[in-house]
Amino acid sequence: AGDNLFTDCIVAIDATTGKTRWYYQVVPHDVWDLDETSPPAVVMLNGQKVVVQAGKTAWAYILDAKTGRLIRKTQNFTPQENMFALPTPEGTRMLPGANGGSEWSPISVNPTLQYAYVAGLNQPMLYKTHPAPYEKGRLWLGSAFTLAPGASQNGTFTALDLKTGKIAWQNRIDQPMMGGSLATAGGLVFTGEGNGNFNAYDAQSGKLLWQFSAGAGCNAAPMSFELHGEQLIAVACGGNFQLGYPLGDAVFVFG
């Protein structure tokens, strides 16, 4: 019973004492598996330090980093339908599904444009009540979710304008997105797809500038580092078992 604090929350912990400074609960009493799995990012916005977190709800939340006060929610970056309808024995269709919105995929931020880049999933799901006896030491769920039969699945890669909360640009991807993104000071943003594509986009316009086929799902967050004075971009393309993307075991490094 109740809101179930501190689940589905963005939480600030005092790094010295370990005490809770503040919390912001995104979904009270969650029965849809819409927990906050994507890592928060701390950025400066109009001279104020804020926390940005892309939710499974398909909204990104912008909070005051000092107090946890909600400054704004962004526009939804994947479709929403029948939000927060309760599960039924027959099955209740809802979007986003249990994977999001945004799953664990970390966002990236271009501080000059003040855009956040979010990998999104569009997977319509049916939520069904599923009473089961409690067994100690085993996974115990009060409901079950399944993909909606015949529903199309796809992904989005979205630039959110943090100043306004509106979508600056959005590219539709044929498969649900999982893996995260990387923005660089050179005006690029990198992300991977489940089909093995590793992409570079123009950070301001969203135009696809470059693509590499890795042969396995690039479902990890890219990273950037410097070696011998040259900036390099790396990504692990290991695929994804949960979404059925081709598996691999290679790390690719690009100049």
Side-chain angles (χ1 to χ4, degrees):
D3 287 349
N4 298 159
L5 289 177
F6 295 88
T7 63
D8 293 61
C9 285
I10 302 163
V11 182
I13 305 295
D14 187 301
T16 302
T17 66
K19 293 183 178 180
T20 301
R21 284 280 191 91
W22 54 257
Y23 64 87
Y24 178 81
Q25 188 168 38
V26 172
V27 182
H29 196 89
D30 178 19
V31 297
W32 308 273
D33 195 19
L34 295 178
D35 47 314
E36 297 302 281
T37 57
S38 178
V42 178
V43 301
M44 295 300 295
L45 181 63
N46 298 325
Q48 179 183 9
K49 186 181 288 186
V50 301
V51 176
V52 183
Q53 200 272 342
K56 279 189 175 183
T57 57
W59 291 304
Y61 302 85
I62 304 172
L63 309 174
D64 184 308
K66 185 175 182 179
T67 66
R69 177 183 65 88
L70 178 67
I71 296 172
R72 69 178 56 92
K73 282 193 309 187
T74 67
Q75 287 182 312
N76 55 295
F77 50 82
T78 62
Q80 295 172 327
E81 174 189 320
N82 208 23
M83 286 283 282
F84 307 124
L86 292 177
T88 61
E90 302 75 29
T92 298
R93 178 183 165 113
M94 192 179 98
L95 274 169
N99 289 331
S102 178
E103 246 281 0
W104 56 263
S105 309
I107 66 169
S108 60
V109 175
N110 182 308
T112 302
L113 296 171
Q114 298 206 309
Y115 287 0
Y117 304 96
V118 184
L121 306 93
N122 179 29
Q123 292 182 296
M125 288 191 177
L126 296 180
Y127 286 86
K128 299 181 179 182
T129 51
H130 186 68
Y134 175 72
E135 296 182 52
K136 186 177 180 179
R138 300 193 65 179
L139 177 67
W140 182 64
L141 300 173
S143 61
F145 46 84
T146 58
L147 292 172
S152 63
Q153 303 180 48
N154 52 68
T156 58
F157 188 55
T158 308
L160 297 170
D161 188 332
L162 299 178
K163 303 183 296 297
T164 64
K166 297 184 181 300
I167 292 175
W169 54 259
Q170 183 176 81
N171 291 330
R172 177 167 167 156
I173 309 298
D174 289 339
Q175 297 170 299
M177 295 281 285
M178 192 180 286
S181 62
L182 166 74
T184 68
L188 301 176
V189 58
F190 295 86
T191 191
E193 301 180 46
N195 59 10
N197 287 338
F198 185 55
N199 304 325
Y201 296 94
D202 182 288
Q204 184 166 18
S205 69
K207 180 182 178 182
L208 180 65
L209 302 176
W210 171 87
Q211 188 173 77
F212 176 85
S213 180
C218 291
N219 299 118
M223 66 174 292
S224 178
F225 61 98
E226 182 181 305
L227 182 66
H228 304 312
E230 180 183 5
Q231 183 179 11
L232 302 177
I233 305 293
V235 64
C237 295
N240 184 279
F241 178 80
Q242 178 182 351
L243 297 180
Y245 296 154
L247 305 181
D249 62 355
V251 175
F252 294 85
V253 183
F254 305 93

